[in-house]
């Protein structure tokens, strides 16, 4: 088992996987028109090769973390690794006083310096594992898309044709979230404190169990409900609201052709094509308002100007033009991996804070009148050795040696 762990913990294998991920990410992010996108589609970071490489990197990091945990536990129990510094003195009080000036604390036989910091490297590896788990979950299960709603209109995101530009992960749900969204009010020029004039919407959102929530969206932040976060988007325009037989209302969203003209081509019930055109006196986004609006309805080659309350031929029935309102664009995202990503970043910061404290262990022993201190430090062994040379009393019999390999800089042979 340990042999397999050492294979996965191999620096060469780890660096090779990292190199592949760097090259792949560079091609996917900065060269979108390469063959990479043609092979894996518009979501190369959800493709099998990328997820497989991240999984292999996870195994490498997990193996290294597991092996490192054993080494840290042994030091935590007071066992000194073979790569240690050894100091000797015939005056035990002198060597103990010296170790205390170097920050070591403990009982008569075992002393530690910043003992909790022994776990800094292990915690950093664990943080990387949590980050990778969060990233893989996010890439595999995330979901996002866009939708539109006019004032007074209710849309069900799970219905076909409502959500567009959807970008689900490889293992995301088959359908968008089961939410019914009603746009109660929309202001295209809301001025928020600290922000330029921008969009603001009031929504009534109903979940699958019938629970309804009154939400306010602006460009500063989204609102989360049932694991789905809704955001205010930039696109907006005008919509024609018509009443069909049976008191059925339909909002027809017009797309802005230029700053004063919007159009919408529709298929009529029973067949046939028609077009609504709205022309404004001033630009639609003018803060003074768009001024007077002229509505034209084109059907079978005939164009007529219509007003609110007028009846018009609408396929095999008649409809009444009820109102002309604003529609707004929105986006939604489901991000199941984000909590793990945030937790990973917090753990990275905590590990980096611990890394600022040089840690180590000392085991003292006395034989034939000579006190020996076996010292292991994650870094700074040479500094302690130099300080000991300055500390020794004149005429005291002292020996300073390195046992095992030469103490390395931080990051090599450390738990």
């Amino acid at each position: 088992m340990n042999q397999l762990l050492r294979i996965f913990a191999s620096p060469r294998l780890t660096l090779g996987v990292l190199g592949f991920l760097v090259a792949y990410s560079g091609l996917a992010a900065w060269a979108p028109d390469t063959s990479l996108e043609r092979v894996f589609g518009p979501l190369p970071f959800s493709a099998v090769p990328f997820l497989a490489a991240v999984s292999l990197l996870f195994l490498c990091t997990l193996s290294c973390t597991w092996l490192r945990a054993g080494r840290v536990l042994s030091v935590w129990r007071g066992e000194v690794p073979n790569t240690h510094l050894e100091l000797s003195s015939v005056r035990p009080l002198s060597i103990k006083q010296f170790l205390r000036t170097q920050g070591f604390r403990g009982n008569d036989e075992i002393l530690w310096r910043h003992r909790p910091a022994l776990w800094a490297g292990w915690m950093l590896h664990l943080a990387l594992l949590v980050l990778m788990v969060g990233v893989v979950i996010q890439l595999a299960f995330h979901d996002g898309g866009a939708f539109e709603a006019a004032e007074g209109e209710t849309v069900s995101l799970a219905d076909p044709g409502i959500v567009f530009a959807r970008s689900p992960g490889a293992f995301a749900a088959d359908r968008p979230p089961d939410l019914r969204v009603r746009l109660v009010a929309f202001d295209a020029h809301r001025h928020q404190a600290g922000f330029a004039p921008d969009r603001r919407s009031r929504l009534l959102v109903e979940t699958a169990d019938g629970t309804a929530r009154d939400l306010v969206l602006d460009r500063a932040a989204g609102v989360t409900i049932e694991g789905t976060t809704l955001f205010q988007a930039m696109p907006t325009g005008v919509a024609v609201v018509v009443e069909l037989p049976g008191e059925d209302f339909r909002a027809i969203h017009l797309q802005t052709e230029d700053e004063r003209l919007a159009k919408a081509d529709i298929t009529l019930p029973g067949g046939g094509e028609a077009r609504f055109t709205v022309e404004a006196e001033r630009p639609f986004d003018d803060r003074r308002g768009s001024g007077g609006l002229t509505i034209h309805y084109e059907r079978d080659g005939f164009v007529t100007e219509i007003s609110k309350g007028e009846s018009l031929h609408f396929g095999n029935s008649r409809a009444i033009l009820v109102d002309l309102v604003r529609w707004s664009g929105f986006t939604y995202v489901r991000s199941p991996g984000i909590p793990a990503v945030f937790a990973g970043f917090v753990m990275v910061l905590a590990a980096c804070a611990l890394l600022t404290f040089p840690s180590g262990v000392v085991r003292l022993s006395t034989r034939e009148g000579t006190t020996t201190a076996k010292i292991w430090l994650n870094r700074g062994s040479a500094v302690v050795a130099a300080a000991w040379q300055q500390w020794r009393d004149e005429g005291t019999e002292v020996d300073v040696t390195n046992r095992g390999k030469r103490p390395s800089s931080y990051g090599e042979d450390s738990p």
Side-chain angles (χ1 to χ4, degrees):
M1 181 64 179
N2 282 346
Q3 184 62 29
L4 183 61
L5 291 175
R6 294 184 187 280
I7 292 175
F8 280 114
S10 166
R12 290 185 179 180
L13 177 59
T14 304
L15 291 175
V17 176
L18 285 173
F20 170 80
L21 288 173
V22 169
Y24 185 98
S25 301
L27 287 174
W30 291 292
D33 296 327
T34 62
S35 58
L36 189 67
E37 184 174 292
R38 292 193 291 271
V39 173
F40 299 118
L43 298 173
F45 291 113
S46 296
V48 173
F50 181 80
L51 295 178
V54 172
S55 300
L56 181 56
L57 181 62
F58 177 84
L59 287 176
C60 293
T61 309
L62 178 62
S63 301
C64 185
T65 305
W66 184 271
L67 295 174
R68 182 179 289 259
R71 295 196 294 266
V72 175
L73 280 173
S74 66
V75 176
W76 183 266
R77 291 192 296 262
E79 299 176 16
V80 179
N82 292 330
T83 54
H84 63 264
L85 174 69
E86 191 169 303
L87 308 181
S88 298
S89 174
V90 295
R91 299 179 61 183
L93 181 60
S94 176
I95 199 168
K96 290 181 180 179
Q97 289 176 340
F98 167 75
L99 291 172
R100 292 190 179 280
T101 64
Q102 297 300 307
F104 289 95
R105 300 292 184 270
N107 54 35
D108 292 336
E109 295 184 358
I110 303 176
L111 307 177
W112 284 278
R113 180 164 72 172
H114 304 308
R115 192 181 184 190
L118 292 171
W119 293 97
W122 179 86
M123 181 180 290
L124 185 59
H125 280 69
L126 183 62
L128 295 177
L129 290 175
V130 174
L131 277 173
M132 282 187 280
V133 168
V135 169
V136 170
I137 292 175
Q138 179 65 16
L139 291 174
F141 294 97
H142 83 281
D143 184 21
F147 64 96
E148 299 171 354
E151 287 185 280
E153 181 183 17
T154 301
V155 296
S156 178
L157 302 190
D159 289 347
I162 298 300
V163 172
F164 57 93
R166 189 177 178 223
S167 57
F171 302 102
D174 295 334
R175 299 194 307 167
D178 190 7
L179 298 175
R180 289 174 55 83
V181 180
R182 179 180 178 83
L183 179 56
V184 178
F186 174 67
D187 189 340
H189 305 290
R190 175 74 175 183
H191 189 87
Q192 300 169 237
F195 293 87
D198 214 328
R199 284 87 165 108
R200 182 178 184 272
S201 300
R202 181 183 172 191
L203 304 177
L204 184 63
V205 182
E206 183 180 343
T207 61
D209 60 4
T211 303
R213 287 181 56 186
D214 194 356
L215 307 176
V216 175
L217 288 186
D218 54 44
R219 292 287 293 164
V223 176
T224 301
I225 179 170
E226 296 289 324
T228 300
T229 304
L230 302 176
F231 295 95
Q232 176 70 59
M234 286 297 294
T236 184
V238 294
V240 175
V241 181
V242 295
E243 181 183 358
L244 302 175
E247 297 184 351
D248 184 20
F249 292 88
R250 178 179 174 186
I252 301 170
H253 300 191
L254 281 68
Q255 301 299 318
T256 304
E257 297 287 326
D258 59 39
E259 61 181 12
R260 295 193 305 112
L261 183 66
K263 296 179 180 180
D265 294 320
I266 62 173
T267 300
L268 298 171
E273 302 292 329
R275 169 180 290 179
F276 283 98
T277 304
V278 175
E279 187 172 359
E281 182 181 346
R282 291 190 294 269
F284 290 112
D285 289 333
D286 196 312
R287 290 189 56 79
R288 299 171 299 170
S290 56
L293 298 173
T294 304
I295 307 172
H296 290 97
Y297 178 63
E298 181 180 349
R299 176 176 174 269
D300 297 333
F302 295 96
V303 180
T304 56
E305 182 178 337
I306 57 176
S307 302
K308 294 180 182 180
E310 289 190 12
S311 176
L312 60 143
H313 289 284
F314 204 76
N316 53 12
S317 62
R318 297 191 67 84
I320 299 175
L321 178 62
V322 177
D323 205 353
L324 186 65
V325 298
R326 278 272 191 175
W327 64 261
S328 175
F330 302 92
T331 59
Y332 80 88
V333 293
R334 290 187 284 194
S335 306
I338 291 300
V341 172
F342 286 158
F345 278 121
V346 171
M347 293 176 66
V348 167
L349 293 176
C352 290
L354 287 177
L355 284 172
T356 61
F357 299 95
S359 58
V361 62
V362 175
R363 180 173 286 274
L364 297 171
S365 62
T366 302
R367 177 180 293 182
E368 298 178 356
T370 300
T371 300
T372 300
K374 295 181 178 179
I375 306 173
W376 178 89
L377 293 166
N378 64 354
R379 65 182 184 274
S381 296
V383 175
V384 172
W388 170 247
Q389 295 295 340
Q390 296 179 358
W391 175 269
R392 62 180 182 175
D393 295 334
E394 183 178 357
T396 300
E397 188 177 324
V398 176
D399 181 29
V400 181
T401 59
N402 288 323
R403 300 297 182 185
K405 294 188 295 185
R406 179 181 179 183
S408 59
S409 60
Y410 177 73
E412 298 180 9
D413 303 317
S414 60

